[in-house]
Amino acid sequence: MVWVPVQKSRADTVALLHRSDANLSKMFLEWLLDWDSTLERAAGLAQAGLQAARECDVTAATGFACVLGLFVWYCYHMGSEQPRSHAPVNAILQSADMNGLQNGYACCQSADCVRCTHNEGRNQKLYHNLQEYAKHYSWSGMGRIHKGIREQSRYLNTRPSIQKPEVFFLPDLPTTPYFPRDAQKHDVELLERNYQAILAEFELIFKAFSNCSLPQGWKVNTTPRGDWFTFYLVNQGICLPSNCRRCPRTYRLLGSLRTFISNNVFGNACFSVLSPETLITEHYGPTNVRIRCHLGLKVPSNCELVVGGEPQCWAEGRCLLFDDSFLHTAFHGGLGEGGPRVVFMIDLWHPNVAATERQALDFIFSPAR
């Protein structure tokens, strides 16, 4: 059987084409209407997005302009403002009696001593030094120092009697009478490793006491009872070359300490000797930006350090760290056969004083100023 395709007539073909064209036209019209609606929705969304972005930019720009204006005003205000009129820090020192006692401590009366001199214009001078530092470097990081200098008298007048630094108080520093050894771990370990070398050099210079009552290089400090001698390598930021030459290993060791205060008046390094039956009257140190470190060299029995009412004992070959801006005293209550109490005393930076603040304080409290 053979299949033959059915042939459609011309009329049937024309009718079919007519129906197809009608369907296509209808589909195109529907698509066109849908597309127009979609365009309208997209245009609406785009317009809304642009409006939101425009409003956001205006708000952000306005906020940025306000912040920038406040910052410029603050910089100008800090750079040009003069310190408030108030009594200088030394007004506190001058409230002591006429016998040279300040806070119960016998003043050395040295014209070069930053703690014992009565400089009426000290606060104004410190503020001038801060402005000069900022002019050469930056105001960045100077907030606490600026605040401390401006409000120094208020801080010192309102401080509890247990802590009253006599020259400069840096606000917002953590306070405690004693510090753990980890506060300046590197320097503490370095000092203790060199204990024997430091002790050997002390014994050499101390032999001079067998020939005279006060050998060259030694200083005597006023005490209500007994004798207190010091031998400085660095005194208030000033190196004493003749003394350093007599203790070369100890002096070189100071250069290896990371936190030794060597460039301002708050930095000292010395041998401190208390004879038996000696008492140092309670007194305050000049600032809270430092930690005083005592490396015990010779510690007989019945010797004690009391800081902020808390007693501690030294130990040979060990460091004792404390904040000497707290009221403190020391005594050697032993008998003569026990010998003197001897420590090597070094001033280190408080661990919470930032590097930029240390640099600024070195500039402000430079021995040359």
Side-chain angles (χ1 to χ4, degrees), residues 21 24 47 62 82 117 163 189 311 349:
D21 289 344
L24 287 174
Q47 186 175 3
T62 303
Q82 293 301 316
T117 54
Q163 184 192 28
E189 292 179 348
W349 284 106

Side-chain angles (χ1 to χ4, degrees), residues 220-273:
V220 61
N221 302 278
T222 305
T223 57
R225 185 174 75 245
D227 298 308
W228 175 22
F229 302 100
T230 48
F231 185 90
Y232 281 90
L233 304 184
V234 178
N235 186 10
Q236 295 189 7
I238 298 176
C239 178
L240 304 178
S242 59
N243 287 2
C244 292
R245 282 193 292 270
R246 296 168 65 183
C247 305
R249 294 184 66 180
T250 304
Y251 174 66
R252 283 197 297 270
L253 179 64
L254 295 178
S256 300
L257 300 176
R258 294 177 181 174
T259 60
F260 173 53
I261 302 177
S262 58
N263 295 318
N264 71 54
V265 296
F266 299 135
N268 302 274
C270 71
F271 294 99
S272 176
V273 179

Side-chain angles (χ1 to χ4, degrees), residues 160-177:
S161 59
I162 196 173
Q163 184 192 28
K164 280 193 176 181
E166 295 176 334
V167 176
F168 178 71
F169 176 77
L170 185 65
D172 306 322
L173 276 185
T175 61
T176 180

Side-chain angles (χ1 to χ4, degrees), residues 4 19 24 102 189 299 302 326 331:
V4 180
R19 285 195 301 272
L24 287 174
Q102 58 187 41
E189 292 179 348
V299 185
N302 202 18
F326 281 81
F331 65 87

Side-chain angles (χ1 to χ4, degrees), residues 5 17 30 97 102 149 156 163-164 191 248 268 273 343:
L17 289 175
E30 290 176 354
D97 62 32
Q102 58 187 41
I149 292 175
L156 297 182
Q163 184 192 28
K164 280 193 176 181
L191 288 165
N268 302 274
V273 179
V343 299

Side-chain angles (χ1 to χ4, degrees), residues 59-124:
T59 303
T62 303
F64 178 76
C66 291
V67 171
L68 181 61
L70 286 172
F71 177 73
V72 171
W73 173 84
Y74 178 72
C75 291
Y76 173 78
H77 182 68
M78 289 184 67
S80 61
E81 184 185 32
Q82 293 301 316
R84 296 177 185 176
S85 161
H86 49 63
V89 174
N90 288 285
I92 301 171
L93 309 185
Q94 290 176 339
S95 64
D97 62 32
M98 299 303 293
N99 293 325
L101 293 178
Q102 58 187 41
N103 296 322
Y105 179 74
C107 304
C108 67
Q109 303 296 338
S110 168
D112 299 323
C113 180
V114 69
R115 181 177 62 191
C116 299
T117 54
H118 295 165
N119 179 2
E120 290 288 350
R122 175 181 292 157
N123 281 9
Q124 286 74 16

Side-chain angles (χ1 to χ4, degrees), residues 6-61:
V6 178
Q7 298 292 328
K8 292 185 178 181
S9 67
R10 180 176 179 83
D12 291 339
T13 302
V14 170
L16 179 62
L17 289 175
H18 179 71
R19 285 195 301 272
S20 298
D21 289 344
N23 289 335
L24 287 174
S25 298
K26 183 179 180 181
M27 291 175 58
F28 178 76
L29 184 60
E30 290 176 354
W31 176 82
L32 189 61
L33 290 173
D34 290 341
W35 175 252
D36 184 60
S37 176
T38 303
L39 286 177
E40 287 181 359
R41 286 197 297 271
L45 289 173
Q47 186 175 3
L50 289 172
Q51 182 64 25
R54 190 179 299 111
E55 290 175 357
C56 180
D57 288 344
V58 170
T59 303

